[in-house]
Amino acid sequence: GLGLMISNTIVRCLGSQGIACESEYGKGSYFYFDLPQDLTHLGFYEPKSSLRLNHVTLKTDFLINRSQYLCRRILIVDDNDYNLMVLGRMLKKRNFELIEAYDGEDALNKLVSSYQHYQQCKESSCRRVNLVLSDLNMPRRDGFDLIQDIRSLTSDQKDIPIVLVSAFDNPEDITKGFRLGMDDMIHKPVTEETIDKLLLKLRLKQ
């Protein structure tokens, strides 16, 4: 029913692959899901109560009072439609909201516009961009240019985590990226495992 759909959305936001079911005719159904063990790294206060699920302790105040943190928004940047589709599909599976841009100039405009909307928005559902995931080689303004543009902003968006995606494992690019202010670099082809490790490292995976 509707309750199961809502529950499935919540557990996916917390990092699960979703609720699974084993059913036997005449006996009943068994619903279950897996969760990452460590939720304490998110820095939330100690709860007054907790829910024990097998080996995982799920903090109930985290679910209720901190629900605005369950899903995050990511700006993904690539001049290739196929790359955007593949990366976007992996992030949507993890319940992230996405903003897509096609080069550094387009990305900067959308980041600034999104932040202005976030500041003016009065709804609790409004979310700011929490991560920029950008291709390195793009026309007009590339990933390096985008880093410089974002770090030059006057708003607190200048401190947003920026991760570059490159088809080449070039030490010079990595050194330059860190010097300009990137937070990390991952390499193509981007896999599900790469995304999970990155999100955990940046503490964006719920």
Side-chain angles (χ1 to χ4, degrees):
L2 183 59
L4 185 59
M5 293 175 59
I6 295 173
S7 299
N8 191 52
T9 299
I10 292 175
V11 300
R12 285 175 61 86
C13 283
L14 288 168
S16 172
Q17 294 299 311
I19 296 176
C21 173
E22 295 179 5
S23 183
E24 187 173 348
Y25 182 76
K27 290 188 176 182
S29 300
Y30 172 55
F31 297 88
Y32 61 94
F33 58 91
D34 294 323
L35 286 175
Q37 264 188 310
D38 184 16
L39 296 178
T40 59
H41 70 277
L42 296 173
F44 300 130
Y45 55 84
E46 287 299 316
K48 295 181 179 178
S49 61
S50 61
L51 177 64
R52 174 67 63 177
L53 295 175
N54 295 331
H55 62 286
V56 178
T57 298
L58 195 59
K59 297 181 178 179
T60 55
D61 60 352
F62 169 80
L63 285 175
I64 298 171
N65 297 333
R66 302 294 182 168
S67 59
Q68 67 267 34
Y69 292 101
L70 288 179
C71 297
R72 306 292 187 97
R73 175 173 289 177
I74 297 179
L75 172 61
I76 56 175
V77 192
D78 201 302
D79 59 308
N80 185 295
D81 288 332
Y82 179 76
N83 290 339
L84 280 177
M85 179 191 70
V86 172
L87 186 57
R89 183 178 297 166
M90 286 190 284
L91 292 169
K92 286 178 180 177
K93 281 174 59 178
R94 291 155 176 79
N95 283 66
F96 285 92
E97 295 180 0
L98 302 180
I99 299 176
E100 296 182 353
Y102 293 94
D103 59 39
E105 182 177 334
D106 185 32
L108 184 67
N109 291 335
K110 288 181 176 178
L111 179 65
V112 171
S113 175
S114 174
Y115 183 69
Q116 291 173 343
H117 175 73
Y118 168 77
Q119 286 187 309
Q120 296 169 2
C121 182
K122 305 299 182 182
E123 301 294 329
S124 60
S125 60
C126 294
R127 299 184 180 92
R128 61 189 298 169
V129 175
N130 301 102
L131 170 66
V132 175
L133 197 55
S134 174
D135 187 29
L136 174 57
N137 297 302
M138 297 178 292
R140 295 200 294 180
R141 298 192 68 74
D142 62 18
F144 291 140
D145 295 325
L146 179 58
I147 294 174
Q148 291 178 296
D149 291 339
I150 293 176
R151 297 304 184 224
S152 298
L153 293 173
T154 56
S155 70
D156 60 0
Q157 283 292 87
K158 69 180 185 296
D159 298 319
I160 189 172
I162 304 173
V163 176
L164 292 184
V165 184
S166 175
F168 307 100
D169 189 5
N170 187 338
E172 293 181 359
D173 287 342
I174 297 174
T175 300
K176 182 178 180 180
F178 280 120
R179 178 171 54 81
L180 293 175
M182 80 172 182
D183 292 86
D184 206 345
M185 178 180 287
I186 58 177
H187 298 94
K188 299 177 181 178
V190 179
T191 65
E192 303 269 357
E193 182 181 5
T194 301
I195 289 295
D196 283 333
K197 287 181 178 179
L198 176 66
L199 296 177
L200 285 170
K201 182 177 181 179
L202 296 175
R203 297 187 176 183
L204 286 176
K205 184 173 182 178
Q206 306 298 324

